[in-house]
Amino acid sequence: MNYHAPVDDIAFALHHAAGLDRALAEGLYPDLSPDLIEAVLTEAGRFASDVIAPLNRIGDQFGTPFKDGTVTTPPGWKAAYTAWAAAGWNGLAAPVEWQGQGLPQALNAACIEMWNAASMAFGIGPVLTMAAVDALADYGSDELKRAYLSKLVTGEWMGTMQLTEPQAGSDVGALRTKAERAPDGSYRLTGSKIFITYGEHDLTDNIIHFVLARLPDAPAGTKGISLFLVPKFLLNGDGSLGKRNDVRAHSIEHKMGIHASPTCTMVYGDDGGAVGYLIGEEHRGMLCMFTMMNRARLAVGLQGVAIAERATQQALAYAKDRRQGRAPGAADGSSPIIDYPDVRRMLLTMRGLTRAARAICYATAVALDRSHLAKEAEARAAGQGRASLLTPVAKAFATDIGVEVASLGVQVHGGMGFIEETGAAQHYRDARIAAIYEGTNGIQAIDLVTRKLPLEDGAVMRAYLKELSEIIERIRTANDPALGAIAERLAEALASLERATQWLLARLKSEPNAALAGATPYLRLFGVTAGGCMLAQEALAAQRLANGADTASRVATARFFAENIAVQAEGLERTITQGADTVVAAFPDAAA
Amino acid sequence: MNYHAPVDDIAFALHHAAGLDRALAEGLYPDLSPDLIEAVLTEAGRFASDVIAPLNRIGDQFGTPFKDGTVTTPPGWKAAYTAWAAAGWNGLAAPVEWQGQGLPQALNAACIEMWNAASMAFGIGPVLTMAAVDALADYGSDELKRAYLSKLVTGEWMGTMQLTEPQAGSDVGALRTKAERAPDGSYRLTGSKIFITYGEHDLTDNIIHFVLARLPDAPAGTKGISLFLVPKFLLNGDGSLGKRNDVRAHSIEHKMGIHASPTCTMVYGDDGGAVGYLIGEEHRGMLCMFTMMNRARLAVGLQGVAIAERATQQALAYAKDRRQGRAPGAADGSSPIIDYPDVRRMLLTMRGLTRAARAICYATAVALDRSHLAKEAEARAAGQGRASLLTPVAKAFATDIGVEVASLGVQVHGGMGFIEETGAAQHYRDARIAAIYEGTNGIQAIDLVTRKLPLEDGAVMRAYLKELSEIIERIRTANDPALGAIAERLAEALASLERATQWLLARLKSEPNAALAGATPYLRLFGVTAGGCMLAQEALAAQRLANGADTASRVATARFFAENIAVQAEGLERTITQGADTVVAAFPDAAA
């Protein structure tokens, strides 16, 4: 079935869970009216549902045939991409001076979710172009910006992000691609890269590669890496396309999912060296790349939300339509399977996890906006801290639940879920990559525990915990029986999160392995606690707005989540604080 | 990479976790020597690893092309199947009088795991033949047995199990395939079936379909269903193959996984009616089918163990080989990723879940043996009760963890996991079906709660809980620091299981929806508690045997499981006993 962008739900999450309303009230977005927000979301939803979504299955079946160094995208993809770019979507949050729309990252996050729910394979391409725009805008020379930035902002050209080499995956510092200084101030790159998303394709006339490489005199490790802009076609003096650069796609991967996203092995310098231009300073490439990576990480988190939303929609529609037997309490005849409590639990789990992950991702985007737009330096710093803290959670929690929700979506369909034509299986296959790329979820968890928790001596995390406790306090104060045990369950979850945080911080230096052993369960604990609080916040807002069925739905989702999912918190806490020994001990591999 | 049958590990689980040693001591298997057990497992392991496993990827890529009603199996499959059947594996646990080996179901279970670890698509075919053998042996007329049973036991012919129709999936009672009485005492079937595993293929000269259908005067629902044997080729008087019967494969499904297992739509009676022979009594087909289904359910649980084992082996090998960065505490250079605590947690989770599920499945098989072989009627009844209780847990817990472990296996591989040639992705795709077919895992959970817990007024479950508590008591009494907090954590898990059991039993009649809402988390709670206890039992046995590294490995696995996985118990208990209201309340679908 097709995807219908849940524009109302997305707007509600932005306004009431992610803090857009508060940011609007504070004056963070002086030019942003409620009407504009609604218009943008509605139009994006229409484009995603009507134009992109119908291409998702075609893309899965057609893939991206590779021949003689060229990639053919599936039928209809180029037209859709061109229309999408022409409508200005690629530059939604990009600077106005470079032909962007200058709208908030928060709105862009909502749109990125919709593009990816329509098709993850479609959505991941622009994600990388947008990340490239950020890096170029922040660190590029004026000359490079003038030559490339507007074209990337409008999407007339697409960008790629090239870190990975066979020996350098999670360990970026091990990369070997070489860059040598040329007399004209440019560089010549030789080497190869693997797993390059949209490394070659026919959607745009030029492709601008953002490539990490190492200068001959570079220090070892990540401190010796520089970032280069390497266009597929060099530009003539007038900006028109000139000579083909010495970078080529050598092959594409045969992947389990996102078949319409070409994943390329790239070769540099078969013919003497690809011309590249330095971005930022020599040996400081990781700094620039982190700008790209953080944006891309949030966007990949949004892919998790997106695939979860699409899987949930499809499962819900199936469960209402498919009839089997007589559900308990039904008068007779054939009940829709949604009437069975076990199926309902699956659907409620899917919806709860999806909405929780969405709220976390959008809150990250609002924090990013605050880090740029707030008038006071202190507020900007707070926004930066919050965005840094939440980014690994947004990426890993949302993509983990993307896999889980897609798997439940298959299960709701029964045997039909395993048949490819139903579509549920594609979501399950597509979802899996998001937990891996842009830094595996294990890397995200380690980033959260070792770099984000200690930010400002723990003050960034403390401020967040305080905010969560205030939400719980508002639920408690409401003292409304309809809210069930939300306050109690979330308070318990928060207490677990607080204790686990203290435990980890106390061991970061003295017992790093013990802290690292708990990183993944800790990130999950963070996600279920924060997600539960955000859904509770949605429930309170919904009660205030008193929208009948919608209010009932949000209260029910928040209750279900608190009473069925947030209760995992204590077990997770114990895994973190009492289970590390069993992980740190030598791996028992003698018997396998 | 290829699969290496973990024969020692399998033997250990049989002897020390599943209760084979105790059964041997009790005299349940008078003809079974330790040497024979070892010889059978070793030879099965060799065949699985050397002959079947190398076909797994070929099968995935080739699939089973369908043309003009015929199915072609992948290159090498027919030769492998023929050799496998000729070696007597199909009839391992079948009656000697029908050319079987008469060996225990427990041994057969171990072998079924190995066939399916080698290739799920290969293994599922014989699973259905073996189930057909059971039904025919238990309920078939002497004439039918003489004509068909030996051929099915030897695997010269294969069997199928045909329940599902488009409108009749989980609700078998809704099936419409018609059977009409013919003057000669046989029947004529018309109608169609879907999702028929190995419904058509070229592995054997004849295929014997076991088909549920409805007589014209049948009562509605499951009480009006009869079971028929419908051969693809009718037999001549001398038993040789005669006329083609009026049953044909109409098409095959394009599935996400197990590509080499042909899943067929079958059509009966295009030419007047397929000749069928009644098995058991008219309208009592469900009784016979339950014999088939219970065996098949255990076997599908073993598929979950199998795919988990294979995914674990592959991830472990990769994690030892793949080097990235410097792990904490490492002197320098590039550490194998197994040295990172987060990767180690994934591997320990994979191993712990796999071994726990294996022990549960094997224990189910030993109970099945006891239900047939015990001298005393009371012991047979106890075996029957235990097998009935454990079968849904074996099926659903093992296949749920099959999906989870396969997913972790992809994650351990990082980007390589998403590339099909690595093989981890195939496991993730293949694993998914086992949670669906032979009764979805939701159906298993409902079966456990509504039919199995109340067996003998709860006495069957009470006896099992008592047995688990005795294991915990043995751990406590050992009072060995090496066992860490195993006793405490498992005692807590068991207490949660006991309270949840009481809660559900108290509500089965008065609030059926509340009980049903907790069925899936309850089955999980059952699985982690029982699995944890069985791993603890393995740890104790390993300490007794003092096998150095193997002992250390088993103790470490049991500790990891108790302290990191069994701690989920309390959260699951609360989901069951405090979360039902949020499920039973109307589904909040207004906003989606």
Side-chain angles (χ1 to χ4, degrees):
Chain A
M1 63 166 270
N2 206 357
Y3 161 72
H4 299 285
V7 172
D8 291 348
D9 204 30
I10 283 172
F12 197 95
L14 271 176
H15 285 294
H16 304 295
L20 189 69
D21 266 9
R22 203 179 50 192
L24 284 164
E26 287 168 12
L28 194 71
Y29 305 113
D31 302 329
L32 196 65
S33 69
D35 284 356
L36 178 59
I37 296 170
E38 196 188 325
V40 168
L41 294 179
T42 302
E43 191 50 31
R46 194 200 59 72
F47 197 99
S49 308
D50 295 355
V51 181
I52 304 173
L55 299 174
N56 193 43
R57 183 152 161 73
I58 297 167
D60 187 55
Q61 294 175 298
F62 191 85
T64 57
F66 180 82
K67 201 180 166 197
D68 300 333
T70 67
V71 164
T72 307
T73 54
W77 280 58
K78 182 166 181 170
Y81 175 80
T82 307
W84 178 86
W89 293 116
N90 195 66
L92 194 74
V96 174
E97 62 174 311
W98 301 106
Q99 299 201 47
Q101 313 276 332
L103 285 164
Q105 291 295 347
L107 263 188
N108 199 31
C111 294
I112 289 173
E113 179 196 320
M114 292 189 264
W115 315 137
N116 280 286
S119 170
M120 269 182 67
F122 181 95
I124 191 62
V127 157
L128 295 171
T129 307
M130 291 176 197
V133 163
D134 289 336
L136 185 58
D138 287 0
Y139 298 101
S141 68
D142 288 346
E143 197 185 339
L144 281 180
K145 287 192 206 175
R146 273 194 304 274
Y148 295 95
L149 195 45
S150 291
K151 302 273 194 185
L152 285 167
V153 165
T154 59
E156 186 176 331
W157 297 342
M158 287 177 79
T160 74
M161 202 167 145
Q162 308 204 2
L163 294 80
T164 305
E165 301 177 12
Q167 78 294 347
S170 297
D171 181 15
V172 179
L175 67 82
R176 293 178 194 150
T177 295
K178 269 191 249 171
E180 301 200 67
R181 297 176 188 94
D184 66 352
S186 68
Y187 297 76
R188 294 295 173 276
L189 275 73
T190 52
S192 64
K193 296 282 177 181
I194 61 168
F195 295 166
I196 303 307
T197 300
Y198 277 85
E200 176 58 49
H201 58 80
D202 58 6
L203 296 182
T204 54
D205 297 334
N206 205 358
I207 303 173
I208 314 304
H209 306 300
F210 288 70
V211 187
L212 290 184
R214 195 179 285 287
L215 288 161
D217 53 356
T222 52
K223 286 174 183 159
I225 293 176
S226 308
L227 178 63
F228 299 91
L229 183 156
V230 182
K232 175 178 170 184
F233 287 98
L234 297 169
L235 303 189
N236 297 320
D238 62 356
S240 63
L241 294 188
K243 214 181 89 170
R244 184 76 158 80
N245 202 354
D246 186 12
V247 47
R248 276 173 187 81
H250 171 266
S251 56
I252 67 165
E253 305 291 352
H254 176 215
K255 304 190 303 296
M256 175 162 63
I258 58 166
H259 290 162
S261 164
T263 303
C264 304
T265 296
M266 306 298 294
V267 177
Y268 290 81
D270 268 358
D271 196 20
V275 177
Y277 308 102
L278 184 70
I279 296 180
E281 296 172 36
E282 289 187 349
H283 313 319
R284 301 291 302 275
M286 283 306 288
L287 181 73
C288 315
M289 191 51 96
F290 266 119
T291 299
M292 290 183 77
M293 270 164 49
N294 280 327
R295 297 299 165 83
R297 284 175 174 183
L298 171 56
V300 170
L302 288 161
Q303 288 196 303
V305 177
I307 199 73
E309 170 66 33
R310 187 159 190 173
T312 303
Q313 281 188 20
Q314 178 154 350
L316 186 57
Y318 186 82
K320 287 176 174 175
D321 183 60
R322 169 73 173 168
R323 290 172 180 276
Q324 284 290 277
R326 184 165 69 84
D332 61 3
S334 67
S335 302
I337 62 171
I338 194 173
D339 286 352
Y340 290 89
D342 191 68
V343 174
R344 201 175 286 187
R345 172 178 291 284
M346 288 193 272
L347 293 165
L348 286 161
T349 302
M350 295 172 78
R351 169 171 291 182
L353 289 172
T354 303
R355 286 188 176 171
R358 173 182 288 136
I360 291 170
C361 287
Y362 290 2
T364 309
V366 171
L368 268 179
D369 283 331
R370 183 166 279 119
S371 75
H372 289 287
L373 304 175
K375 288 190 199 76
E376 309 293 332
E378 201 179 331
R380 286 198 301 277
Q384 182 58 49
R386 177 65 55 86
S388 296
L389 178 69
L390 290 185
T391 294
V393 183
K395 196 279 180 180
F397 179 70
T399 57
D400 278 341
I401 72 95
V403 173
E404 293 163 26
V405 170
S407 184
L408 284 170
V410 170
Q411 193 69 19
V412 169
H413 284 80
M416 289 301 294
F418 202 63
I419 309 298
E420 285 290 356
E421 70 184 324
T422 309
Q426 185 187 344
H427 305 328
Y428 175 77
R429 291 186 286 102
D430 286 352
R432 197 63 192 76
I433 188 56
I436 296 171
Y437 60 18
E438 293 307 330
T440 66
N441 285 2
I443 296 282
Q444 304 300 325
I446 291 167
D447 176 54
L448 174 65
V449 168
T450 63
R451 295 200 201 95
K452 304 306 170 60
L453 291 187
L455 281 176
E456 298 178 23
D457 271 333
V460 171
M461 181 61 184
R462 280 196 300 279
Y464 190 62
L465 291 169
K466 181 156 176 287
E467 199 169 302
L468 297 181
S469 74
E470 287 164 2
I471 296 170
I472 297 168
E473 195 48 38
R474 284 202 293 281
I475 296 276
R476 201 192 307 278
T477 310
N479 197 20
D480 179 349
L483 297 172
I486 293 179
E488 291 87 332
R489 292 298 95 82
L490 292 183
E492 289 157 3
L494 184 63
S496 283
L497 179 61
E498 287 171 338
R499 286 188 298 262
T501 305
Q502 286 313 315
W503 192 93
L504 290 171
L505 282 172
R507 275 156 192 81
L508 268 184
K509 292 206 173 125
S510 57
E511 302 173 57
N513 271 324
L516 291 168
T520 287
Y522 178 79
L523 190 144
R524 182 72 177 204
L525 172 59
F526 194 126
V528 298
T529 306
C533 289
M534 286 177 169
L535 294 182
Q537 211 173 357
E538 286 197 20
L540 284 176
Q543 288 188 323
R544 243 180 0 254
L545 298 169
N547 276 340
D550 182 66
T551 299
S553 161
R554 287 183 198 285
V555 170
T557 302
R559 262 198 75 180
F560 176 82
F561 195 95
E563 299 177 23
N564 291 270
I565 296 175
V567 292
Q568 297 164 1
E570 203 226 339
L572 290 164
E573 178 196 351
R574 297 177 76 178
T575 298
I576 300 157
T577 62
Q578 301 174 2
D581 281 357
T582 62
V583 178
V584 174
F587 185 72
D589 60 355
Chain B
M1 62 167 272
N2 206 356
Y3 161 71
H4 298 285
V7 172
D8 291 348
D9 203 31
I10 283 172
F12 197 96
L14 272 175
H15 285 292
H16 304 295
L20 189 68
D21 266 8
R22 205 178 49 193
L24 283 164
E26 288 169 11
L28 194 69
Y29 306 112
D31 302 330
L32 197 65
S33 68
D35 284 356
L36 178 58
I37 296 171
E38 196 189 324
V40 169
L41 295 179
T42 302
E43 191 49 31
R46 195 201 58 74
F47 197 99
S49 308
D50 296 352
V51 182
I52 304 173
L55 299 174
N56 193 41
R57 181 150 163 75
I58 298 166
D60 187 55
Q61 294 175 300
F62 191 85
T64 57
F66 180 82
K67 199 177 168 198
D68 301 333
T70 67
V71 164
T72 306
T73 53
W77 280 59
K78 183 165 180 171
Y81 176 79
T82 307
W84 178 86
W89 294 116
N90 196 66
L92 194 74
V96 173
E97 61 175 310
W98 301 106
Q99 299 199 48
Q101 313 277 331
L103 286 165
Q105 291 294 346
L107 263 189
N108 200 31
C111 294
I112 290 173
E113 179 196 320
M114 291 188 263
W115 316 137
N116 280 285
S119 169
M120 270 183 66
F122 181 95
I124 191 62
V127 157
L128 297 170
T129 307
M130 291 176 199
V133 163
D134 289 334
L136 186 57
D138 286 0
Y139 298 102
S141 68
D142 289 344
E143 197 185 339
L144 280 180
K145 286 191 210 177
R146 273 193 304 274
Y148 295 96
L149 194 46
S150 292
K151 302 273 195 185
L152 284 167
V153 164
T154 58
E156 185 176 334
W157 298 342
M158 287 177 79
T160 73
M161 205 168 142
Q162 308 205 2
L163 295 79
T164 305
E165 300 177 11
Q167 78 294 344
S170 297
D171 181 15
V172 179
L175 68 83
R176 292 176 194 152
T177 295
K178 268 191 247 170
E180 301 201 68
R181 297 176 189 92
D184 66 353
S186 68
Y187 296 78
R188 294 296 173 274
L189 276 73
T190 52
S192 64
K193 295 283 177 182
I194 62 168
F195 295 165
I196 302 308
T197 299
Y198 277 84
E200 176 59 46
H201 58 80
D202 56 8
L203 295 183
T204 55
D205 298 335
N206 205 358
I207 303 173
I208 315 303
H209 306 299
F210 288 70
V211 187
L212 291 183
R214 196 179 284 288
L215 289 161
D217 53 357
T222 51
K223 288 176 185 158
I225 293 176
S226 308
L227 178 63
F228 299 91
L229 184 157
V230 183
K232 175 178 171 185
F233 286 99
L234 297 169
L235 303 189
N236 297 321
D238 62 357
S240 62
L241 296 187
K243 216 180 89 172
R244 185 75 158 82
N245 203 354
D246 188 10
V247 47
R248 275 172 189 82
H250 170 269
S251 55
I252 66 163
E253 304 291 352
H254 176 215
K255 305 190 301 297
M256 174 161 63
I258 57 167
H259 291 162
S261 164
T263 303
C264 305
T265 296
M266 306 297 295
V267 177
Y268 290 82
D270 268 359
D271 196 21
V275 176
Y277 308 101
L278 184 68
I279 295 180
E281 297 173 36
E282 289 187 348
H283 313 319
R284 301 290 302 274
M286 282 307 286
L287 181 71
C288 315
M289 192 50 98
F290 266 119
T291 299
M292 293 184 74
M293 269 163 50
N294 279 327
R295 298 297 166 85
R297 284 175 175 184
L298 171 57
V300 171
L302 289 161
Q303 288 197 302
V305 177
I307 199 74
E309 171 65 33
R310 188 160 189 171
T312 302
Q313 281 188 19
Q314 177 154 352
L316 186 57
Y318 186 82
K320 287 175 175 177
D321 183 59
R322 170 74 172 166
R323 291 173 178 273
Q324 284 289 276
R326 185 166 67 85
D332 61 3
S334 66
S335 303
I337 63 171
I338 194 175
D339 286 351
Y340 290 89
D342 191 69
V343 173
R344 201 174 286 188
R345 173 179 291 284
M346 287 193 273
L347 293 166
L348 286 162
T349 303
M350 295 171 78
R351 168 170 292 181
L353 290 172
T354 303
R355 287 188 175 171
R358 173 183 289 135
I360 291 171
C361 288
Y362 290 2
T364 310
V366 171
L368 268 178
D369 282 331
R370 183 167 278 119
S371 75
H372 290 288
L373 304 176
K375 287 188 198 80
E376 310 292 332
E378 201 179 330
R380 286 198 301 277
Q384 181 59 49
R386 176 64 57 85
S388 297
L389 178 69
L390 290 186
T391 294
V393 183
K395 196 279 180 180
F397 179 70
T399 56
D400 278 342
I401 71 95
V403 173
E404 293 163 26
V405 169
S407 184
L408 284 171
V410 171
Q411 192 70 18
V412 169
H413 284 79
M416 289 302 294
F418 202 62
I419 308 299
E420 285 288 357
E421 69 183 327
T422 311
Q426 185 187 344
H427 305 327
Y428 174 78
R429 292 186 285 100
D430 286 353
R432 197 63 193 77
I433 187 58
I436 296 171
Y437 60 16
E438 291 308 328
T440 66
N441 285 2
I443 296 282
Q444 304 299 326
I446 292 166
D447 176 54
L448 174 65
V449 168
T450 63
R451 295 200 201 95
K452 303 305 172 60
L453 292 187
L455 281 176
E456 298 179 24
D457 271 333
V460 171
M461 181 61 183
R462 280 195 302 278
Y464 190 62
L465 291 169
K466 182 156 173 287
E467 199 168 304
L468 297 182
S469 74
E470 287 163 1
I471 295 169
I472 296 169
E473 195 46 39
R474 282 201 293 280
I475 296 275
R476 202 192 306 278
T477 309
N479 197 23
D480 178 349
L483 297 171
I486 294 179
E488 292 86 331
R489 292 300 94 81
L490 292 182
E492 289 157 4
L494 184 62
S496 283
L497 179 62
E498 287 172 336
R499 286 189 297 263
T501 305
Q502 287 313 315
W503 192 91
L504 290 171
L505 281 171
R507 276 156 191 82
L508 269 183
K509 291 206 171 124
S510 58
E511 302 172 58
N513 271 323
L516 290 167
T520 287
Y522 178 78
L523 189 144
R524 181 74 177 200
L525 173 58
F526 195 125
V528 297
T529 307
C533 289
M534 285 176 171
L535 294 182
Q537 212 171 356
E538 287 197 20
L540 284 176
Q543 287 189 323
R544 246 183 353 258
L545 298 168
N547 275 341
D550 183 67
T551 299
S553 162
R554 288 185 197 283
V555 170
T557 303
R559 262 198 76 180
F560 176 82
F561 196 96
E563 299 177 23
N564 290 269
I565 296 176
V567 292
Q568 298 165 1
E570 203 226 338
L572 290 164
E573 178 195 352
R574 296 177 77 177
T575 298
I576 299 158
T577 62
Q578 301 176 2
D581 281 359
T582 63
V583 177
V584 174
F587 186 71
D589 61 355

